[in-house]
Every structure is written in C-alpha cells, then in structure tokens.
Amino acid sequence: MAVFCFGGCACQTEPRVAGEAIVLLSNAPEALDRRFTLSANGQRVASLLAPGLVRVDDSGRPVPDLAESFERVGPTRYRFVLRRGLTFHDGGALTSADVVYTYRSLVDPEVGSPLRPKYERITSVEAVDPRTVEIELDAQFAPLLLDLTMGIVPARLADTSYRAAFEEHPIGAGPYRFVERPDEEHIVFAPFDDYYGGRPEVERLVFVVVRDETTRVLSMLRGDADLVINAVSPVLLPRLEAAPHLRLQQRPGAGYAYLGFNFRQEHLADRRVRQAIAHAIDRDALTRYKFKGAATPATGMLPEGHWAYAEAPRFAYDPARARALLDEAGLPDPDGNGPEKRFTITYKTSTDRFRKSVALLIAAQLEEVGIGVDLRAYEWGTFYGDVKRGRFELMSLKWTPVIEPHLYHWVFHSDSIPTEDNSWTGGNRGGYKNPQIDTWIDQAASELDPQKRAALYANIQRVVGEDLPYVSLWHEDTVAVVNERLEGFEVSPFGFFHPLANMRVR
Amino acid sequence: MSGYVIRKLGGTLVSLLGVTVIVTLFLNFIPGDPIEVMLGEQAEQVDREALRRAIGLDRPAFEQVWIFGRDLVTGELTTSLPPFRDKVLPKIAEKLPRTIALTLVSMVLAILIAIPLGVFSARRRGTGWDLGGMVFSLLGVSIPRSWLGPVLILVFAIELDWVPALGVVGVRSMVLPALTLSLAMVAMLSRMTRASVLDVDREDFVTTARAKGLSETVVVWRHIVRNALIPVVTIVGLQFGTLLAGAIVTEKVFNWPGMGTLLLSAIQQRDYNTVRACILLFTFVYVAVNLLTDLAYGFIDPRVRTQRRGA
C-alpha cells in the first residue's frame, strides 16, 4: 500500500524541470538552523538560507555579508553596520535586534546550541541603533571574525510559540528561501526576490542526499543531477571528465594531509631523521597517481592563495639525501641496501581503504631508505583515540579546510599538548615544543593589523617547515563536477555554497 | 500445543530483552571515550557534557537501559543531535512502510520467479537447462548487492534509459531495487524448490498417481509441487530477515528513503538514539517473523507439534 503514496512525492527527478538545479550531497544536513549544525554539509546548506554578518572569501579573509562594513572600535570591541533594507524571507525586517538575539541565543543553555563554548568568548552584544551592532570580547582575539559567519535568525524566536513554526519552516535573509523538506533526503529551496545581492536566477534548488558514491557518479553521468562538490573520489574523476555534458572544476584548498611525528620517540626527536623522512617521500608521484592530480604537494598547513600563506622550505624527493641524513644522525644501515633496517617505527592509520593505500606507499618509500615500518591500520574510533592521547610514533591524518591560521595554536602551541591533566585536550599530539613558535602564535592571535599578522604567520610557517613536526603531504583539491546546464558556477576553494546564488540553468 | 507456543514466546522475549541491553549499552563498549569518537575534531567547540547527558552516558548502565526502554515505549525518545528535541519514533514511522514495501515486493518477485524456475529445473534434471539454472543460482547467491545495484543502474537507467537512476518516482523506480534485493532469494528458493520437487517425485503416492493414468501436468502441479512447497514456505519466512538486512545496502545504492537510509544517516550523524532504535526494530521484526514462521510451521505440519511434545 505504501507504494502508492510515492506518486505524490515532491522530489521527482524526471522529467527535468526548467530552471531547476539538483545538487547532490553525500550526507544529510542534521539541521537547517545554522546554530545547530556541526557537519560541513549542514553548515553550508544552512548558510545559504541564513547568512551571517560576514562570510569568508576565497583567500580565507572575512568580507562583509549582511553587514556592509565592520571596524574595530576598541581593543576588544567591534562595530558592524548592517546593509539597508535587509528582510527575512517572510518579509520581516532584519535589524540589529535580530543579530543581538542570534548571538545571545547561542550561549543560552535553554536553547542548547552545540556551538555554545565557541561563542562564550563574546561578553556582550549590543544594538546601538537598528542598523548598528557592537560586539565585545573577553580578550583581544583576531580570529573572531570567522566565527561571525553565524547565520542570523529572527529575534521573534525568543517567543517560544514561534519556535515550532520556525523549525518546520526556517527563514533567514539568504539568497534562497526554504520551500520544503519532504524527507531526510530532499531539501527544496526557491530564490528569494528581495535578496540584497539580487534574486538568484535558479528557479528551484534541490539538494538530494545520495549516500552511495557509485550512485552519485551514475546520477551525474545520466544527467539526473547537476552538481556535486567534494563527494567523488579521485579515481572516478577521469570517467566523469570524459562525459560530454560534465565539466570538472578543481581548486586547491580542501583539506591538508600530513604525516605526524611523535617527539617522544627517540629517533623522531632528531630533526635530521624527520628531514630524512621528508626527503624519502615522493609526494609528486603520490599526488599524480593516487589523486590523479586532484591534490597539490604542500609545504605547510595553509594553501597557496590563502591570505597568510608564505613560502616554507620544500623537501624534494631525494632518497640519497635521506640516507645521508640518517647516517649523519648516527643511524647507519647495518647491511647497506639489504633486509636489515636502520631502525623500525610503527605507523598508525585508519582502515579507510584509500588512506590505507596511501600509507602503504609511504611505508614502502621509507623502507627504501632503510627505515623499517610497522604499518597498523585501526578502526577509526580506536585510531583517533590513540592519536588524541599521543599513542603513536608516526601517523597520517588530514585537517579539514584550513581557513583560520589560528589553527596553529591548536596544532603546534606547547599549551595544546594533550595530557591526562587537561583531559587530553589539544591538537599538538606529537608533543612539539618551540618557545619561539609559541610566542609568535600568541602575538598573531591578538595582532589586529592583518599585515603584521601575516608576517607573524610567515615566520611560523618558515620555522615549522624546518622543524618538521609534520611532513606536509598535500592539499587536496576541492573538486566540483558540474553539468553543462549550469552556467556561471565557480567552485569555492573551501567548498562553500555561496556560489550557488550566482549560477543559471540553461 | 499451548506448551509449544509458550516455549517459543518465552525464547523470543529473552532474545528481545538481551538485544535491548546490548543495543543500549553498545556505546559503552567503544574503545576510548564515545563522546570524543562522536565529535571528532569538533570536540573543542562543542558542549561535551550536554551531549553526554543527552545520551545518558553519565548514568549507571542499568539506568541507561531503563531510560532508553522507557522513552522508547512512551514515544519520548529524542535524537542524539542538538537541541535534542526531535522525536525518533515519527521518523521511523515514516520510513518503515517504505522498507516493508520494498521487502515485500522483493519477496513476491522472488517467489514468482523462483518456484517456476525450480520446478522447471527439476523436470529437466541433468540437461543443459538444469545446469544453466544451477549456474544462475550460484551467481545469484554470490554476487554482492553493492555491485549488482550499480550495474543494474548502469544498464537499465543509463544505457537503456528505461528507469530513473535517482529518486522515488512511483512504482517504476522500485523495479531495480526490488530486483537487486530479490536475486539472492530467487537463487536460493529455486534450488530449494528443485531439490524438494525431486524428493517428492520419488514418493510412492506420486507413482500411484501416475499409475492411475493422471496426466503429467496434473501429477506435477497438483501432487508434486503442492507437497514440495512445505519446506520452501518455511525458508521464505526465515529469509525475510535476510532480505531486511539486504535492504540496508540496497536502499543506500538506490537512495530509497527507508529504514536503511535512516540507519546509515543516523550512523553518519552519530545520532545514537536513532541507531539504537533502528537496530532494536530490525531485531524485533526478525525475531517476530521467525516466531511466526515457527508457529505457522507447527500449525501446517502436525508432525512438528507431536515431536516437540514427545521430546
């Protein structure tokens, strides 16, 4: 009997509706209210509905969004001026009161946002006049602006009787308005006539959650869908590129892959050994063959083109140099190129097939220069638990798109070394310590002049690049597969969805 | 008879209770802190304690089982996603009929194909047809659904363009998932039917029927097949659970919005309460169908009851 109700489903994909664009997602957004989203897809879809005061441009800089301008008015105080005539999708005006409500609700335990700890840094949010808001922090903190991409929701939500209606039909001031979500797998948006940036030309924007990668690829091949961003593995890209109606767009930026060292391991504490390992890995070959070119060899956490990016030492593939460095470090190969190793280390990775295959190649390249590698692949929970507690010698992992360079504090500051006492909080899992780096990171966080900040991060990138607490492997590209029906779409390096507002359907 | 029913019911209750305990407590068996595993790199910015409380991990084990069971029964169970207000049961109520529909259609499809195929093979035992049937069955049992599904999409949706690759568009889009899901069952049932038909063929009453001068068609369909179907019916019931499990993979491949997709989505989002509820439901259906099959078998074949009483 249930079969018959499907006829009335609003999610028909055939025949294709004129002006309709279908975007495939690999997993379902957990919420459409940005205040309750943790997943990347959730945040991206929610931001399209409800943008924030600022958004992040392609170089990782905050730029005005709902705010037409922002400035620093005190050591820890910022002023935002909203654009004129902003309205929510239901026609209600968007004023400073809505901004105040949004940020207060984030730290309200009653509301229960999972992002609360992040926003507790804000000590006050005040409406100066209907278009002006001032935000005060508990201390100088330059990375603040990136957290102000939070989508602005109406202050009417303070009235709890409106909440249920809002959850059914969320609104914001974004380029697209919510139409319906008939089930978990389908979200339908329509263009918002009064969007400050102009009404989008797409008549209907549908997000379809397709969890199976092969099915995503086949749907794109058949022309059932128009766009998929970062949800197709590199090996399948050539097949898609060959299809006459599909185009690929690639930009470096999505995710930074690295090989992490544990400084508590006697040999790895020696910089020469770390540099030898960096010279032993052929990153060009790995990106060419494993990623089919959809990754760019990296020298540090930040991708080229990021506002704070600076050149750091490059360790070219040079096995001879690697062997020389190891000899120098007092670790000679006992039998030349024979089966005996200079020393053996364990290398932990997850059981993910692709990650494991990359780890096998890296292990083979290390064996080439006489380092014995005991490769161990663990189920994600176990692997991650070990990594968090610093229980590894060598491991490879990936940071999701690095936008805010303050991440250096989490990853390389000596305050961020996880220990039992701080209940294993901190991303400096290898235990890297360099007082100079600590100082620069602290200065950069409170330095508000962008140029001076960039200079500090340039120093950090250079010294970390020599110290090598990580071997930087590569930046994985953001890859969009686009049906030629879509015109004007330009993929964001971080995979953000705001370019969806600027495209047309042919 | 009533003793037999009570024994079966008792066993069922014990297995359900056991599964409830295991399913509720499985988070406690994860190596490391489950909250960290759930939150991953985002743990820094998330209210860990709120999450811990919401899932009840701050309570003693027996209390966790009790609270989960109580909330499930009263319909108060919420998802483990902030702000912990969405109810789990309405979601399941929306998805379950679709999975049941897919499973039932696959089952009917399997029976419609498998029984004639099995009888046909048995009647042509030792010929090329029989061999072909065997090869087909072997392939059917061995081919994984995660491979068969995409191949069917490639052939029927992309090359031939007969059905859509994506989305739920009426009955037409049920064809491929149902085929994918039923293939293994077709293979198994047809072999079963073939063997059973050959067994019955050797019985005395069949010889008698032939000696009476009945036409071969009547002998086969009225005397042989009817008797041969008894074990086949049992297998159909027992296979229902397998179909349900297969539905998870099949639904993922075809993007069928049923219980399988709900479960996978809950796993991806680390929505543990929904995962718990789904697994419990699958177990419940599995156990219930097995119980019904056992009971039905007892009713159909009086020998079963007699044996149990004797034992």
Side-chain angles (χ1 to χ4, degrees):
Chain A
M1 217 184 343
V3 181
F4 299 111
C5 5
F6 299 140
C9 181
C11 41
Q12 303 202 347
T13 56
E14 207 181 64
R16 296 298 305 274
V17 179
E20 178 190 72
I22 295 182
V23 180
L24 300 184
L25 302 175
S26 57
N27 49 45
E30 69 274 51
L32 292 178
D33 182 340
R34 175 73 177 73
R35 297 174 299 162
F36 297 102
T37 52
L38 288 172
S39 73
N41 274 342
Q43 296 185 344
R44 286 164 192 174
V45 174
S47 298
L48 211 49
L49 209 57
L53 293 172
V54 297
R55 69 175 173 81
V56 175
D57 75 358
D58 288 356
S59 67
R61 274 193 203 91
V63 292
D65 199 353
L66 292 184
E68 65 177 18
S69 67
F70 52 87
E71 59 176 331
R72 188 170 152 240
V73 290
T76 59
R77 201 170 177 86
Y78 291 80
R79 177 182 298 149
F80 296 82
V81 180
L82 294 171
R83 288 174 200 272
R84 266 171 223 284
L86 288 175
T87 62
F88 284 109
H89 296 150
D90 63 353
L94 188 155
T95 67
S96 51
D98 300 300
V99 178
V100 171
Y101 170 75
T102 301
Y103 285 98
R104 290 199 181 147
S105 72
L106 278 164
V107 293
D108 182 353
E110 196 64 0
V111 171
S113 163
L115 298 163
R116 192 173 106 203
K118 194 172 178 173
Y119 289 92
E120 275 171 347
R121 201 179 279 132
I122 296 175
T123 50
S124 88
V125 192
E126 286 159 40
V128 178
D129 65 53
R131 282 181 55 219
T132 312
V133 184
E134 289 191 3
I135 293 183
E136 175 96 43
L137 298 183
D138 59 359
Q140 283 201 17
F141 187 66
L144 161 85
L145 286 170
L146 280 197
D147 292 338
L148 300 183
T149 53
M150 173 55 65
I152 302 301
V153 294
R156 282 167 274 163
L157 278 169
D159 178 0
T160 44
S161 63
Y162 175 58
R163 259 179 220 171
F166 181 82
E167 277 166 20
E168 278 287 293
H169 196 104
I171 58 167
Y176 290 97
R177 61 187 167 81
F178 178 80
V179 176
E180 60 171 344
R181 187 173 193 180
D183 53 45
E184 187 97 345
E185 283 72 33
H186 298 84
I187 301 169
V188 183
F189 283 179
F192 176 39
D193 294 336
D194 298 324
Y195 177 54
Y196 78 79
R199 179 187 196 271
E201 291 179 59
V202 172
E203 288 309 318
R204 203 175 131 88
L205 181 65
V206 184
F207 292 98
V208 183
V209 180
V210 178
R211 294 183 180 80
D212 189 81
E213 183 183 37
T214 315
T215 311
R216 285 195 295 273
V217 169
L218 292 175
S219 311
M220 287 303 293
L221 283 175
R222 186 168 187 264
D224 281 352
D226 302 308
L227 179 65
V228 58
I229 301 174
N230 277 346
V232 173
S233 54
V235 283
L236 292 168
L237 293 177
R239 175 79 174 86
L240 287 165
E241 199 167 20
H245 65 290
L246 298 179
R247 283 172 289 118
L248 293 192
Q249 287 189 18
Q250 282 174 239
R251 294 187 69 174
Y256 161 72
Y258 62 90
L259 184 70
F261 295 115
N262 196 331
F263 283 65
R264 300 164 194 103
Q265 208 276 354
E266 45 166 346
H267 301 311
L268 295 178
D270 187 328
R271 185 157 89 172
R272 289 168 297 194
V273 174
R274 299 195 300 274
Q275 292 184 343
I277 288 175
H279 277 304
I281 298 171
D282 188 352
R283 286 171 292 174
D284 287 325
L286 285 170
T287 49
R288 199 173 326 124
Y289 298 111
K290 292 304 289 186
F291 286 90
K292 311 284 174 197
T296 315
T299 59
M301 289 211 295
L302 303 173
E304 220 171 317
H306 189 283
W307 66 267
Y309 170 82
E311 186 78 27
R314 276 176 199 280
F315 291 84
Y317 175 55
D318 188 350
R321 177 95 188 97
R323 289 191 196 97
L325 278 164
L326 289 168
D327 289 341
E328 216 178 285
L331 295 163
D333 199 338
D335 56 355
N337 276 340
E340 295 264 321
K341 298 298 171 200
R342 299 167 192 266
F343 66 100
T344 297
I345 43 176
T346 57
Y347 176 3
K348 289 189 180 176
T349 178
S350 74
T351 45
D352 178 280
R353 225 151 101 207
F354 182 72
R355 300 290 154 195
K356 201 176 141 190
S357 74
V358 171
L360 276 168
L361 290 173
I362 291 176
Q365 290 174 352
L366 296 187
E367 302 256 355
E368 227 11 61
V369 298
I371 300 174
V373 177
D374 177 9
L375 182 67
R376 296 184 191 169
Y378 293 93
E379 179 277 323
W380 171 252
T382 315
F383 170 61
Y384 188 61
D386 281 358
V387 166
K388 280 207 76 143
R389 283 166 180 71
R391 286 198 296 252
F392 61 91
E393 293 183 347
L394 211 57
M395 57 98 173
S396 45
L397 245 177
K398 189 176 109 172
W399 286 104
T400 47
V402 181
I403 300 168
E404 174 45 62
H406 186 59
L407 185 64
Y408 271 107
H409 183 275
W410 179 248
V411 178
F412 293 131
H413 198 286
S414 61
D415 284 351
S416 299
I417 298 175
T419 60
E420 187 145 25
D421 295 334
N422 65 14
S423 57
W424 309 108
T425 305
N428 188 353
R429 289 144 189 167
Y432 170 63
K433 273 180 229 154
N434 183 334
Q436 179 63 66
I437 291 288
D438 287 357
T439 315
W440 282 333
I441 290 174
D442 292 337
Q443 285 172 352
S446 53
E447 176 57 64
L448 299 163
D449 177 342
Q451 271 182 338
K452 288 183 188 157
R453 267 191 92 199
L456 286 164
Y457 283 121
N459 291 341
I460 294 169
Q461 287 168 75
R462 180 173 46 77
V463 172
V464 164
E466 285 161 7
D467 277 355
L468 283 181
Y470 281 178
V471 175
S472 292
L473 295 174
W474 43 74
H475 290 290
E476 294 177 10
D477 285 1
T478 288
V479 180
V481 183
V482 192
N483 191 313
E484 59 173 4
R485 290 175 77 225
L486 290 192
E487 285 175 348
F489 174 81
E490 293 260 357
V491 71
S492 134
F494 308 113
F496 291 144
F497 281 0
H498 59 253
L500 294 180
N502 304 324
M503 62 188 192
R504 289 174 303 283
V505 182
R506 205 168 58 192
Chain B
M1 181 61 203
S2 58
Y4 173 63
V5 173
I6 288 168
R7 258 199 315 277
K8 283 283 161 198
L9 276 177
T12 305
L13 276 180
V14 171
S15 20
L16 278 182
L17 208 65
V19 172
T20 311
V21 171
I22 294 173
V23 161
T24 315
L25 295 180
F26 79 104
L27 269 184
N28 303 27
F29 305 138
I30 290 177
D33 182 350
I35 296 291
E36 268 174 19
V37 176
M38 286 173 71
L39 295 174
E41 296 283 355
Q42 290 164 327
E44 193 205 6
Q45 48 178 259
V46 170
D47 209 331
R48 297 184 209 203
E49 287 315 306
L51 192 58
R52 200 181 295 278
R53 274 195 305 278
I55 307 175
L57 283 173
D58 55 336
R59 295 164 192 274
F62 71 90
E63 220 181 312
Q64 290 181 35
V65 177
W66 162 246
I67 290 175
F68 175 75
R70 186 197 61 196
D71 286 355
L72 189 67
V73 171
T74 56
E76 288 300 307
L77 190 70
T78 63
T79 63
S80 313
L81 300 174
F84 313 112
R85 280 199 288 266
D86 283 352
K87 298 271 195 293
V88 173
L89 289 189
K91 281 193 182 187
I92 290 182
E94 181 196 326
K95 309 278 180 182
L96 187 63
R98 294 180 181 163
T99 297
I100 300 269
L102 180 61
T103 313
L104 285 181
V105 169
S106 308
M107 202 153 174
V108 171
L109 197 67
I111 293 170
L112 288 182
I113 301 174
I115 291 177
L117 194 68
V119 176
F120 180 80
S121 293
R123 300 311 297 161
R124 283 165 183 70
R125 179 159 55 127
T127 66
W129 291 104
D130 188 22
L131 188 72
M134 190 138 91
V135 171
F136 171 78
S137 301
L138 207 62
L139 284 178
V141 173
S142 322
I143 290 176
R145 294 187 176 101
S146 54
W147 181 84
L148 180 66
V151 168
L152 288 182
I153 296 179
L154 196 62
V155 173
F156 292 102
I158 295 190
E159 297 301 331
L160 299 174
D161 208 11
W162 287 352
V163 286
L166 194 63
V168 183
V169 191
V171 183
R172 223 150 52 91
S173 61
M174 202 162 186
V175 177
L176 294 187
L179 264 181
T180 309
L181 193 52
S182 58
L183 185 71
M185 194 163 171
V186 168
M188 196 169 164
L189 279 189
S190 63
R191 295 316 288 170
M192 200 73 194
T193 311
R194 177 185 176 276
S196 185
V197 165
L198 289 177
D199 275 352
V200 177
D201 199 13
R202 280 192 289 271
E203 300 268 348
D204 290 342
F205 69 86
V206 175
T207 317
T208 312
R210 287 212 175 95
K212 280 199 298 186
L214 292 177
S215 76
E216 190 61 14
T217 319
V218 174
V219 173
V220 170
W221 291 104
R222 187 170 304 160
H223 293 272
I224 300 182
V225 174
R226 271 176 83 172
N227 282 291
L229 282 188
I230 295 175
V232 175
V233 167
T234 318
I235 294 294
V236 167
L238 294 175
Q239 280 288 304
F240 187 78
T242 319
L243 273 188
L244 215 53
I248 297 178
V249 177
T250 312
E251 285 184 6
K252 179 181 173 227
V253 172
F254 291 96
N255 222 37
W256 186 262
M259 288 297 292
T261 26
L262 178 67
L263 179 60
L264 286 173
S265 156
I267 292 172
Q268 277 174 345
Q269 297 177 352
R270 316 277 178 195
D271 175 359
Y272 280 98
N273 271 347
T274 304
V275 174
R276 287 162 162 172
C278 287
I279 293 177
L280 203 59
L281 185 76
F282 277 121
T283 318
F284 179 78
V285 172
Y286 199 105
V287 170
V289 169
N290 278 352
L291 177 73
L292 286 179
T293 313
D294 270 359
L295 293 181
Y297 200 43
F299 279 110
I300 293 169
D301 191 345
R303 282 170 299 179
V304 176
R305 272 174 279 157
T306 337
Q307 278 164 13
R308 303 278 170 154
R309 195 178 289 152

